[in-house]
């Protein structure tokens, strides 16, 4: 951990009055929180479009740096992992999004860059029908895709059911919070949160002592959507919060699915409308979902890995596969988004190619979401 950079980046989020878009712009334009600090007195020289008001507000960092020092103490004491935009452990899918947080706080054991990451969201008033859907979906998904990280928001209803079923079936699960890590909301989910620290984790963009304001829940939905390959809506009222997450996921060009429900049922109305309006693909089972995502071979790969894949001496590689192998051979390990940029192959297509190359014993997925060429 680069403590100095983390310290300045925490302070930057305070300097901009929690306007994360402004902080993100400054961070990306100058390259780091420390660079923004170093240019605090001549910010308009390096960023001419900076407003006079913002330039003036960036001059005095004394109070934000004092608060950052306090947060650094909390991070150290509670073994929190600060994840800076660009860090290896930062969710790489989220990093591709235009409004990604410049800094997040994480406690847990799960790799946030696993091969498959999905979220399950929906109403806080989950019915027996919804709970049955989640239970059967997660159980069956586990059989077909043994390695999936399940993300949700630790809220009542669908969220907590998704977290519990994930753990019950041997999956890791991460809760994205709308407040600091010094609090668990709702308090009735503290025990589940403790279990998740050992079987997944807790993630937030908010520093300690940040309370769970209503707007924070809306903002955190972009993290839930952005760090995942797909969003699955289980039950939702006509204007439910889960629909915000599906809308953001569509904006990020991520896959969105919804379970249909009985016509006229209040907590199926949002799902049914979304499907009707082509905002989500209809699924009735994990099998539907796996086929739609093209993940049918996951279980076979797991079996092959367990048995030990023997790399062929002269594997039959396509042109794109050869391009990927050449890049990894020349430059070393790359994370998915970096490899996509270097190879000029879209993320979705690249993921499928890398999977085939793993099956051939040519590459291996490493911790942190990077890929290594087996020589």
């Amino acid at each position: 951990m680069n403590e100095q950079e983390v310290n300045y980046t925490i302070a930057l989020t305070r300097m901009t009055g929690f306007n994360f878009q402004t902080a993100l712009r400054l961070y990306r334009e100058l390259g780091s929180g420390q660079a923004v600090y170093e240019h605090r007195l001549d910010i308009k020289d390096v960023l001419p479009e900076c407003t006079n008001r913002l330039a003036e507000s960036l001059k005095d960092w004394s109070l934000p740096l004092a608060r950052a020092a306090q947060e650094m103490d909390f991070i150290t004491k509670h073994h929190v992992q600060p994840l800076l935009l660009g860090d290896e452990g930062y969710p790489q899918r989220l990093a591709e999004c235009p409004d990604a947080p410049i800094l997040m706080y994480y406690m847990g054991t799960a790799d946030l860059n696993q091969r498959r990451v999905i979220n399950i969201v929906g109403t806080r008033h989950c019915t027996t029908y919804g709970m049955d859907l989640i239970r059967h979906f997660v159980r069956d998904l586990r059989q077909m895709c043994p390695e999936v990280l399940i993300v949700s928001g630790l809220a009542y209803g669908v969220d907590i059911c998704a977290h519990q079923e994930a753990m019950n079936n041997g999956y890791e699960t991460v809760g994205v919070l709308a407040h600091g890590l010094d609090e668990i909301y709702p308090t009735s989910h503290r025990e589940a949160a403790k279990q998740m620290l050992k079987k997944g984790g807790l993630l937030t963009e908010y520093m300690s002592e940040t309370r769970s304001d209503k707007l924070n829940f809306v903002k955190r939905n972009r993290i839930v959507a952005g760090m995942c390959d797909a969003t699955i809506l289980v039950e939702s009222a006509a204007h439910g919060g889960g629909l915000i997450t599906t809308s953001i996921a569509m904006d990020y060009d991520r896959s969105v699915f919804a379970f249909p429900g009985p016509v006229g049922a209040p907590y199926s109305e949002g799902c049914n409308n979304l499907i009707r309006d082509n905002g989500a693909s209809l699924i009735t089972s994990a099998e539907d979902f796996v086929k739609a995502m093209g993940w049918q071979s996951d279980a076979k790969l797991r079996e092959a890995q367990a048995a030990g894949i023997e790399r062929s001496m002269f594997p039959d590689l396509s042109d794109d596969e050869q391009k990927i192998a050449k890049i990894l051979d020349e430059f070393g390990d790359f994370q998915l988004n970096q490899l996509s940029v270097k190879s000029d192959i879209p993320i979705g297509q690249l993921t499928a190619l890398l999977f085939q190359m793993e099956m051939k014993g040519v590459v291996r997925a490493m911790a942190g979401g990077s890929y290594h060429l087996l020589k």
Side-chain angles (χ1 to χ4, degrees), residues 187-215:
T187 56
S188 58
H189 294 169
R190 283 179 179 169
E191 189 56 40
K194 288 181 182 178
Q195 295 175 25
M196 289 166 64
L197 292 176
K198 299 177 181 178
K199 300 179 179 180
L202 302 174
L203 180 68
T204 183
E205 65 180 318
Y206 299 105
M207 63 177 64
S208 63
E209 300 182 11
T210 303
R211 296 299 157 243
S212 47
D213 295 331
K214 184 177 181 179
L215 185 59

Side-chain angles (χ1 to χ4, degrees), residues 10 104 122 208 297 321-322 337 343:
I10 293 173
M104 289 192 293
S208 63
S297 300
E321 290 171 340
Q322 289 180 18
N337 63 324
S343 64

Side-chain angles (χ1 to χ4, degrees), residues 46-286:
V46 294
L47 202 62
E49 61 270 33
C50 180
T51 65
N52 291 332
R53 182 177 179 180
L54 178 58
E56 189 63 31
S57 70
L58 288 174
K59 289 181 178 179
D60 184 5
W61 286 56
S62 55
L63 290 178
L65 283 173
R67 178 62 182 87
Q70 179 184 340
E71 192 65 18
M72 291 298 290
D73 289 341
F74 176 84
I75 286 171
T76 301
K77 181 178 180 180
H78 296 280
H79 307 291
V80 175
Q81 302 175 50
L83 301 175
L84 291 165
L85 185 64
D87 282 354
E88 183 177 321
Y90 190 101
Q92 297 304 311
R93 295 167 178 84
L94 181 61
E96 301 165 9
C97 301
D99 52 358
I102 60 175
L103 170 68
M104 289 192 293
Y105 307 92
Y106 178 54
M107 296 174 68
T109 58
D111 176 6
L112 302 178
N113 290 297
Q114 293 187 33
R115 170 188 298 279
R116 313 297 191 198
V117 187
I118 67 170
N119 67 66
I120 299 175
V121 297
T123 179
R124 285 173 164 78
H125 306 283
C126 191
T127 68
T128 300
Y129 170 73
M131 289 186 280
D132 285 343
L133 285 177
I134 296 169
R135 183 168 59 254
H136 292 136
F137 176 82
V138 175
R139 180 197 65 197
D140 296 345
L141 183 66
R142 174 69 171 163
Q143 296 302 313
M144 290 180 277
C145 299
E147 297 178 2
V148 177
L149 176 64
I150 294 183
V151 176
S152 199
L154 201 68
Y156 290 114
V158 168
D159 287 17
I160 191 62
C161 186
H163 291 308
Q164 292 285 16
E165 288 303 327
M167 291 188 287
N168 291 345
N169 285 276
Y171 274 143
E172 292 182 310
T173 182
V174 168
V176 182
L177 309 182
H179 47 75
L181 288 171
D182 57 330
E183 176 186 8
I184 292 297
Y185 178 85
T187 56
S188 58
H189 294 169
R190 283 179 179 169
E191 189 56 40
K194 288 181 182 178
Q195 295 175 25
M196 289 166 64
L197 292 176
K198 299 177 181 178
K199 300 179 179 180
L202 302 174
L203 180 68
T204 183
E205 65 180 318
Y206 299 105
M207 63 177 64
S208 63
E209 300 182 11
T210 303
R211 296 299 157 243
S212 47
D213 295 331
K214 184 177 181 179
L215 185 59
N216 292 356
F217 286 97
V218 177
K219 288 182 177 179
R220 72 92 185 269
N221 289 344
R222 79 189 196 286
I223 298 175
V224 173
M227 66 183 290
C228 297
D229 300 307
T231 290
I232 300 171
L233 186 66
V234 176
E235 285 189 304
S236 172
H239 302 287
L243 293 172
I244 298 175
T245 306
T246 60
S247 176
I248 296 171
M250 284 186 278
D251 288 342
Y252 291 159
D253 198 25
R254 304 298 161 81
S255 299
V256 176
F257 300 88
F259 282 97
V263 174
Y267 295 113
S268 291
E269 192 173 356
C271 292
N272 292 343
N273 292 346
L274 193 66
I275 295 167
R276 179 199 63 199
D277 298 336
N278 297 318
S281 299
L282 183 153
I283 55 172
T284 60
S285 65

